[in-house]
Amino acid sequence: MECISVFDMLKIGIGPSSSHTLGPWRAAERWINELKTNESLNLITEVSVDLYGSLSLTGKGHATDYAVILGLSGADPEYIAVNSIEKIVADVKSSNSILLGNNHKITFNVKQHIVFNREFLPFHANGMKFTGTLSNGDTTTQTYYSIGGGFVVVEELTNSEEKLKLKQCFPFPINKAEELTTYCLTQKKKISEVVLDNELSIRSAKEVNSELKRVWDTMLECMYIGCHTEGTLPGGLNVRRRAFDTHKKLMEASKASYTDPESWLIAIRKTEVKFRQILKWVSCFALSVNEVNASLGRVVTAPTNGSAGVIPAVLMYYMVIDNHQADFNHIKRFLLVAGEIGSLFKKGATISAAMGGCQAEIGVSSAMAAGALTELLGGSPQQVLMASEIAMEHHLGLTCDPIGGLVQIPCIERNAMGAIKAINAAELALDSDPSNARVSLDKVINTMWETAKDMNTKYKETSKGGLAIGVNSSDC
Ligand code: SF4
């Protein structure tokens, strides 16, 4: 049984993709750290990186080459100054050299040393191989797989050591939604309380609070930046940022002033909201996050970068529209529930679009948000899980077909749709008796996995099917 922390599901990183940007970035960092541990970093004279499968097919649009350069350079995606990214990459390209681990300089030609191979490695669709030549002529290689949500694994360890490390470290080990329900009933606890008990077994209460606060601050700042940034997204599709215009119209009638993300949140509470404005606000929050993500900004993977807008949009909906008294305690409960539901999908199916299409990204994020919102709205644990089930049920079969390999069309709008569905799923569950439900969350997770296995490879983050070929990027 895997022990997946909420902070594994909600990682802070850089866009546009958790599997194609954050994962390769972390893999490159990990390889450099292994070289340092083996005391061989300073003996390296040449490095080459082979990208395989989906990483190769949509890697350019997903900035995988940027991620590899930054990871090899020793930059940390959680803390790097976003405005320094372009310069670091440009310097490597223009100088034909790279400072490995920010320490050891070698010749590095991006076009020659980052190789996009079209074939797939058998273990996973997102494979990458790092090869280093040492000063004595020997070579050292390591292959990693980016398995979605920024998770990176090494094939030979996945069935042994890595799994052993993760085994049964929680007081309430959870593999299935049914087990979570049983803990809630026997312990007389809410889902967020069971999840918190698990987190407290591996970190202090102070750390849980400060890290959850950091996650929320990153989400809020991301929405704030997205709503206040005008223009066109990078990548060549000429996609206009829309959160800016929608936000401007929604705030027009408001006299409230603000200077930062926190005072902005309070100012939004003073705007008039009828049904249409609610739809627009929720969509605006979701669009804002994914516009930041598409422009290599900082987001929280939730559970992936492509679907990073759903959870902040639904949580913000709760904070500014549903409950004006909402505080950090509500944020904390929301994130704990959302993280746990995401981990159920990771264990029982996948959160990787390269394995399961967009149902694994937007579908999972919608299910996470629906369950979390339901708990805050007073739902029982069974209603929380029912809301997640409803949200996923209506995303089953959703394919991944990003135009031009960029995380823009249909990705950005899809976050708005996932957020609205999550809110609707919560309301449906709150008005239902879960004992009458015919489909359980465990059943829908299993169905999602079976659907993923049946799905044609061209709909799994390859940009070889659907909108990606139906729309010519040169027409955009
Ligand atoms: S279509 Fe969905 S899964 Fe594919 S890149 Fe876009 S958001 Fe991610």
Side-chain angles (χ1 to χ4, degrees):
M1 185 171 300
E2 276 184 273
C3 154
I4 298 176
S5 161
V6 166
F7 300 105
D8 292 325
M9 298 307 301
L10 303 172
K11 300 184 186 84
I12 297 171
I14 298 291
S17 167
S18 48
S19 54
H20 289 55
T21 319
L22 186 57
W25 189 327
R26 287 295 188 202
E29 248 188 315
R30 185 164 152 180
W31 185 61
I32 291 294
N33 286 336
E34 282 167 17
L35 292 175
K36 276 186 192 161
T37 307
N38 301 336
E39 297 184 351
S40 45
L41 182 67
N42 290 330
L43 305 176
I44 295 285
T45 58
E46 189 177 353
V47 164
S48 66
V49 184
D50 285 278
L51 304 171
Y52 294 94
S54 175
L55 279 188
S56 169
L57 292 168
T58 57
K60 290 217 169 94
H62 287 52
T64 306
D65 44 355
Y66 274 45
V68 165
I69 292 168
L70 291 159
L72 290 175
S73 305
D76 186 330
E78 256 188 84
Y79 297 100
I80 187 173
V82 172
N83 57 10
S84 71
I85 289 176
E86 290 288 351
K87 183 172 177 344
I88 294 173
V89 174
D91 285 350
V92 169
K93 285 182 176 172
S94 64
S95 67
N96 279 331
S97 68
I98 191 165
L99 201 55
L100 293 179
N102 200 24
N103 172 272
H104 176 56
K105 192 170 182 176
I106 59 163
T107 300
F108 189 78
N109 181 306
V110 174
K111 283 195 180 140
Q112 182 190 337
H113 292 113
I114 301 182
V115 185
F116 290 81
N117 301 278
R118 294 187 76 78
E119 71 263 31
F120 284 67
L121 297 182
F123 179 69
H124 191 279
N126 291 333
M128 69 208 109
K129 185 170 85 177
F130 293 84
T131 305
T133 306
L134 304 173
S135 49
N136 65 2
D138 288 351
T139 56
T140 173
T141 69
Q142 185 57 274
T143 301
Y144 300 96
Y145 298 89
S146 176
I147 59 170
F151 287 85
V152 173
V153 297
V154 177
E155 182 179 7
E156 54 269 30
L157 293 179
T158 45
N159 291 324
S160 52
E161 292 159 52
E162 290 212 350
K163 278 202 172 160
L164 272 178
K165 264 197 295 178
L166 295 167
K167 265 195 171 174
Q168 300 258 354
C169 63
F170 282 153
F172 300 113
I174 300 159
N175 231 10
K176 293 193 175 293
E178 202 182 344
E179 291 159 351
L180 181 54
T181 314
T182 305
Y183 291 134
C184 290
L185 293 176
T186 56
Q187 303 292 314
K188 297 192 175 23
K189 289 185 178 196
K190 295 184 175 77
I191 289 181
S192 59
E193 292 170 325
V194 170
V195 182
L196 182 60
D197 283 349
N198 278 345
E199 287 298 328
L200 292 176
S201 71
I202 51 173
R203 43 179 66 87
S204 69
K206 195 173 163 201
E207 199 186 338
V208 170
N209 286 345
S210 68
E211 285 304 292
L212 285 175
K213 174 89 173 46
R214 203 158 67 88
V215 165
W216 168 242
D217 286 347
T218 305
M219 288 179 173
L220 182 61
E221 189 180 0
C222 183
M223 288 184 275
Y224 186 76
I225 292 170
C227 285
H228 294 86
T229 309
E230 208 178 354
T232 303
L233 295 172
L237 291 184
N238 297 317
V239 173
R240 188 173 158 74
R241 288 172 177 264
R242 283 183 291 170
F244 180 87
D245 292 332
T246 303
H247 174 261
K248 200 168 155 202
K249 282 186 209 149
L250 287 166
M251 288 301 274
E252 242 156 32
S254 168
K255 301 275 176 288
S257 61
Y258 57 88
T259 51
D260 55 25
E262 283 76 23
S263 54
W264 174 60
L265 187 152
I266 292 163
I268 296 171
R269 285 177 174 164
K270 293 180 181 147
T271 61
E272 187 190 26
V273 282
K274 294 185 181 156
F275 184 67
R276 285 185 69 199
Q277 282 83 10
I278 293 173
L279 285 179
K280 283 171 192 275
W281 268 121
V282 173
S283 300
C284 178
F285 297 140
L287 296 180
S288 67
V289 171
N290 288 82
E291 288 172 1
V292 169
N293 181 60
S295 48
L296 275 77
R298 176 162 287 120
V299 300
V300 177
T301 65
T304 65
N305 280 28
S307 60
V310 175
I311 286 175
V314 175
L315 180 49
M316 192 68 165
Y317 157 79
Y318 180 78
M319 305 282 293
V320 298
I321 292 168
D322 198 274
N323 179 4
H324 286 190
Q325 266 63 54
D327 57 21
F328 176 67
N329 186 41
H330 297 93
I331 294 167
K332 179 176 170 179
R333 285 171 57 203
F334 186 99
L335 297 176
L336 288 167
V337 176
E340 185 59 40
I341 291 168
S343 79
L344 289 174
F345 279 96
K346 173 149 177 26
K347 291 168 197 163
T350 178
I351 56 166
S352 164
M355 296 292 280
C358 199
Q359 58 174 355
E361 292 205 14
I362 297 292
V364 174
S365 63
S366 188
M368 292 164 74
L373 179 64
T374 304
E375 178 170 309
L376 291 193
L377 294 177
S380 66
Q382 293 93 326
Q383 285 174 315
V384 167
L385 301 177
M386 185 183 188
S388 297
E389 180 282 313
I390 294 170
M392 172 49 80
E393 188 177 310
H394 304 289
H395 282 98
L396 285 174
L398 190 64
T399 60
C400 170
D401 50 359
I403 296 176
L406 295 160
V407 193
Q408 297 183 9
I409 310 172
C411 319
I412 297 173
E413 273 179 8
R414 214 163 254 188
N415 280 265
M417 306 314 282
I420 298 290
K421 275 195 200 178
I423 295 169
N424 204 12
E427 294 300 342
L428 285 171
L430 286 164
D431 277 348
S432 304
D433 177 351
S435 66
N436 293 329
R438 293 290 169 267
V439 185
S440 68
L441 179 55
D442 287 327
K443 283 255 160 61
V444 92
I445 291 173
N446 189 48
T447 304
M448 184 202 134
W449 180 229
E450 292 303 322
T451 308
K453 288 191 280 183
D454 284 343
M455 194 181 278
N456 191 306
T457 306
K458 68 185 178 184
Y459 298 120
K460 295 180 180 175
E461 213 166 3
T462 61
S463 285
K464 286 175 146 186
L467 283 174
I469 57 160
V471 179
N472 199 333
S473 38
S474 60
D475 295 338
C476 293

